[in-house]
Amino acid sequence: MQLTTEQRDILALVRDFVDAEVAPYASEFDHRDEFPEEMVEKLKEMGLFGITIPEEYGGLGLDLLTYALVVKELSRGWISLSGVVNTHFMAAWMIEHFGTEEQRGKYLPRMATGELRSAYSMTEPHAGSDVQAIRTQAVLDGDSYVVNGQKMWVTNGLRAGMVMLLAVTNPAAEPRHRGMTAFIIEKEPGAHEQPGLTVPPQLQKLGYKGVESTELVFQDFRTPASSVLGGEDGVGRGFKYFLAAVELGRVNVASRALGLATAAFEAGIRYAQQRETFGQPISDHQAIQIKLAQMGTKIRAAELMVVDAARLKASGARADLEAGMAKLFATEVAQEATLEAMRIHGGYGYSKEFVVERLYRDSPLLILGEGTNEIQQLLIARRLIEQHKV
């Protein structure tokens, strides 16, 4: 893959940071389910919260491919760290592309430095893949909207100072998605209670620890009418805005899966050369070699798909098919690679002393996030049928 000097430099910077300050400590933070404050501060120093935000707003102004490769490197160290950046990145992209000039000027400079971090809130207890089933409502009352409802699985939901929220503003709209609006909700970072908004204790998870996943409970929460993404013209367009960001998010998830699979492969091939059985390294055994060959080949294929989807999306072209395929394939590869790495480690792979047990617990998140892989296959099939219509 041909990269510019700038891309190579920033990837080298991130890679060195991950090798020195993330990978050696990630499992300790995971086992304690502890938020990595010092790592996040380092992300701020490197400018990674503003990696794709235009330079005029204080960001680095880099392209989506560079971001995807940075996410791969972060995830190679710990996918929870990339999760701190992920929803923030999606929110910044939405404001840049759909926000008013006033909204861009108000939020993007503070988002670029990481001073203001964002969450992204679409899923509800009864509405995951079926986004049009959401029930959270925002009712216009004078110069503000009153929000009532409940959101689930909000990454960074507690620590974030703002939330991109999808809510129903016209329940009678047909089709229903035309009655949905996106809001930029400002909140008090770290507060479990504030007027109209409760953030319950974080959800307990199998993996993806260290970064909080929360509920958000809105009860007569007031937000200014000016918080509608895109201003008055944005009313009723929230579904479109959010799905555009989800397409972007699928490239992100595929990149995270690529990083996770790479970490599993590196752990597996390193252990295979160190561990001996019957007087020789297990890397000399054909059964292990076949595992390594399949892991390496599939990871390389996933990388090419991620690069293709990122470049296409960055060009402004429609990329839902490519992003969906990359997300589907890379996340399945990650799940397979983490299990194979565990098998290569044998009994030690089940021990918390080795990294592969954490990688194995983290991998299922990716086949579920940004649309389950079952739903993803249906979307891919529809696009293929559309392209090959007879």
Side-chain angles (χ1 to χ4, degrees):
M1 164 186 3
Q2 290 186 334
L3 299 175
T4 66
T5 300
E6 183 179 36
Q7 287 173 322
R8 287 196 298 269
D9 287 346
I10 192 167
L11 287 174
L13 177 68
V14 175
R15 190 176 300 117
D16 289 345
F17 162 63
V18 167
D19 288 341
E21 301 182 44
V22 179
Y25 309 106
S27 290
E28 295 177 23
F29 280 89
D30 169 272
H31 296 156
R32 296 195 299 265
D33 201 1
E34 180 181 338
F35 186 78
E37 294 282 2
E38 292 184 4
M39 295 182 193
V40 172
E41 287 302 314
K42 185 66 175 182
L43 296 183
K44 290 182 182 179
E45 292 175 17
M46 291 190 290
L48 296 187
F49 282 100
I51 187 169
T52 61
I53 293 175
E55 292 181 4
E56 63 185 289
Y57 297 108
L60 298 180
L62 300 176
D63 65 331
L64 179 59
L65 174 59
T66 306
Y67 176 74
L69 295 176
V70 165
V71 166
K72 174 204 168 184
E73 289 299 329
L74 292 176
S75 300
R76 185 176 62 84
W78 189 21
I79 67 164
S80 294
L81 190 60
S82 65
V84 175
V85 181
N86 177 34
T87 56
H88 177 88
F89 156 73
M90 293 168 71
W93 184 88
M94 291 175 74
I95 292 172
E96 178 190 347
H97 287 81
F98 306 124
T100 64
E101 183 51 49
E102 181 182 355
Q103 289 170 340
R104 288 192 286 269
K106 178 179 181 181
Y107 294 111
L108 292 181
R110 289 190 295 147
M111 295 180 78
T113 63
E115 171 197 348
L116 176 65
R117 300 207 303 271
S118 182
Y120 177 91
S121 181
M122 184 169 64
T123 301
E124 298 185 1
H126 44 269
S129 298
D130 183 8
V131 180
Q132 293 194 69
I134 68 167
R135 299 175 187 170
T136 296
Q137 289 196 11
V139 178
L140 185 61
D141 181 28
D143 60 356
S144 64
Y145 280 86
V146 180
V147 182
N148 284 281
Q150 181 182 6
K151 294 293 184 178
M152 284 284 289
W153 296 111
V154 184
T155 302
N156 301 315
L158 177 64
R159 288 177 171 83
M162 61 177 277
V163 180
M164 299 300 297
L165 177 79
L166 183 64
V168 176
T169 48
N170 180 7
E174 289 293 340
R176 197 165 188 270
H177 68 79
R178 292 183 178 173
M180 297 181 183
T181 300
F183 292 87
I184 307 171
I185 301 293
E186 295 187 42
K187 60 183 283 293
E188 184 66 31
H192 284 280
E193 297 279 351
Q194 65 183 84
L197 175 60
T198 299
V199 183
Q202 68 180 43
L203 300 166
Q204 298 301 304
K205 300 164 294 187
L206 169 69
Y208 195 42
K209 295 178 180 292
V211 57
E212 79 264 21
S213 301
T214 70
E215 299 175 65
L216 297 178
V217 181
F218 295 92
Q219 187 170 10
D220 295 332
F221 178 87
R222 285 190 172 269
T223 185
S226 60
S227 66
V228 171
L229 180 64
E232 290 185 11
D233 291 341
V235 175
R237 297 186 179 181
F239 184 82
K240 171 186 173 182
Y241 295 165
F242 264 75
L243 287 197
V246 165
E247 182 179 307
L248 196 71
R250 284 174 182 150
V251 175
N252 183 293
V253 169
S255 302
R256 297 168 78 186
L258 179 59
L260 184 65
T262 300
F265 172 78
E266 290 175 348
I269 198 168
R270 181 172 56 249
Y271 183 81
Q273 294 174 82
Q274 295 170 345
R275 173 68 166 164
E276 291 188 0
T277 60
F278 307 105
Q280 61 186 124
I282 63 173
S283 59
D284 288 351
H285 300 320
Q286 288 185 349
I288 300 298
Q289 291 176 356
I290 289 171
K291 290 182 184 296
L292 295 173
Q294 291 184 352
M295 291 167 71
T297 301
K298 291 177 181 179
I299 289 169
R300 177 59 174 158
E303 180 179 40
L304 294 174
M305 294 181 75
V306 169
V307 170
D308 178 59
R311 282 181 169 154
L312 188 62
K313 180 67 176 176
S315 74
R318 182 174 181 178
D320 54 340
L321 177 62
E322 291 76 11
M325 285 179 166
K327 190 270 182 185
L328 171 65
F329 186 75
T331 57
E332 294 291 344
V333 167
Q335 176 124 45
E336 181 180 336
T338 56
L339 177 57
E340 290 301 287
M342 182 176 284
R343 284 175 162 169
I344 289 170
H345 279 72
Y348 287 115
Y350 205 61
S351 167
K352 286 187 176 183
E353 294 180 18
F354 287 77
V355 70
V356 290
E357 66 85 25
R358 170 172 61 82
L359 303 179
Y360 180 74
R361 286 187 290 104
D362 282 342
S363 62
L365 165 76
L366 302 173
I367 65 174
L368 304 174
E370 304 298 350
T372 66
N373 280 4
E374 286 71 28
I375 290 294
Q376 202 60 58
Q377 290 175 77
L378 300 180
L379 298 175
I380 290 169
R382 288 172 192 165
R383 281 288 288 125
L384 291 173
I385 292 169
E386 180 183 321
Q387 286 186 350
H388 297 81
K389 205 166 187 69
V390 295

